Amino acid sequence: MSQLLDLVGIFVFALSGALMGVRKRLDVVGMMVLAGMTSLGGGVVRDLILNVRPAAFQSVGYVLVPVAATVIVFFWHPHVARVMPAILVLDAAGLGLFCAVGTEKALEYGLSPLHAALLGVVTAVGGGMLRDVLAGEIPTLLYDRQLYAVPAMLGSGAMAVVYSYGLHGWPATLSAAVLAFGLRIAAMRFKWRAPLARGVGE
């Protein structure tokens, strides 16, 4: 079940990467690169930091899912763009899942709760950062005006706390993921924004 949820999150993130390629007028190879970086980049960085073989290189599904997402966007990107509200909800779910799973994996490999939470955030938003850099955009993490990284931080922090108190397994992971998901959905619904420096206008 955990791998299935992981693949769903990868698929949604890959769609957003491929759509970025369409907006940047990239060819199919460029779209596929952005899809792969967006969906797998954070997990690969996490695993390299943990000094383990990246999960993306242990199962063919992790390679085929971004390819499938790219093919869908390549042929039907106008239709995909029209259902973006639904995709954003799934993207929020992927954000919550990735930050919780990333934090839990880091804790299992012996990292401190603080460092594990930081690595959970990397898992959730690292792929998006790589996508933005490759596409010539300022990474959204550097101007989190849509509260994307903040929910990941809180979800990762919650995962680290409950794990430290001996609460392991899928209930703890699901709780942290739901927290991040709920905050992200609320931010989209109520248009919450991170504050700018004092004296800086909108």
Side-chain angles (χ1 to χ4, degrees):
M1 177 61 74
S2 61
Q3 186 179 27
L4 176 61
L5 292 174
D6 207 22
L7 291 175
V8 170
I10 287 170
F11 179 74
V12 174
F13 283 178
L15 286 177
S16 71
L19 283 171
M20 172 72 81
V22 172
R23 291 196 294 271
K24 291 292 183 176
R25 301 182 62 81
L26 302 182
D27 61 23
V28 65
V29 176
M31 290 172 59
M32 198 168 298
V33 169
L34 290 187
M37 285 295 181
T38 307
S39 57
L40 303 175
V44 170
V45 171
R46 174 203 64 210
D47 290 344
L48 291 176
I49 291 174
L50 294 175
N51 198 29
V52 298
R53 180 188 301 172
F57 294 94
Q58 297 186 46
S59 171
V60 68
Y62 285 85
V63 177
L64 294 181
V65 167
V67 172
T70 302
V71 170
I72 290 171
V73 172
F74 182 82
F75 287 105
W76 298 289
H77 61 86
H79 304 287
V80 175
R82 277 200 294 270
V83 297
M84 272 308 292
I87 291 176
L88 287 174
V89 172
L90 293 175
D91 180 83
L95 177 79
L97 176 68
F98 279 18
C99 75
V101 170
T103 303
E104 183 179 32
K105 185 169 184 177
L107 288 165
E108 290 173 349
Y109 276 84
L111 268 66
S112 71
L114 174 61
H115 292 103
L118 291 174
L119 204 49
V121 175
V122 169
T123 305
V125 305
M129 286 188 64
L130 293 172
R131 174 202 63 208
D132 293 342
V133 170
L134 288 174
E137 300 281 338
I138 299 174
T140 54
L141 185 65
L142 300 183
Y143 59 102
D144 197 28
R145 300 292 289 139
Q146 297 183 354
L147 287 191
Y148 196 79
V150 171
M153 292 175 186
L154 295 176
S156 297
M159 183 69 232
V161 169
V162 298
Y163 192 97
S164 298
Y165 280 94
L167 299 175
H168 304 169
W170 69 264
T173 305
L174 182 61
S175 298
V178 168
L179 173 63
F181 170 75
L183 289 171
R184 174 60 181 149
I185 292 296
M188 291 191 295
R189 172 66 177 83
F190 299 108
K191 302 186 185 304
W192 291 344
R193 297 290 184 265
L196 295 172
R198 183 179 178 183
V200 177
E202 290 288 343

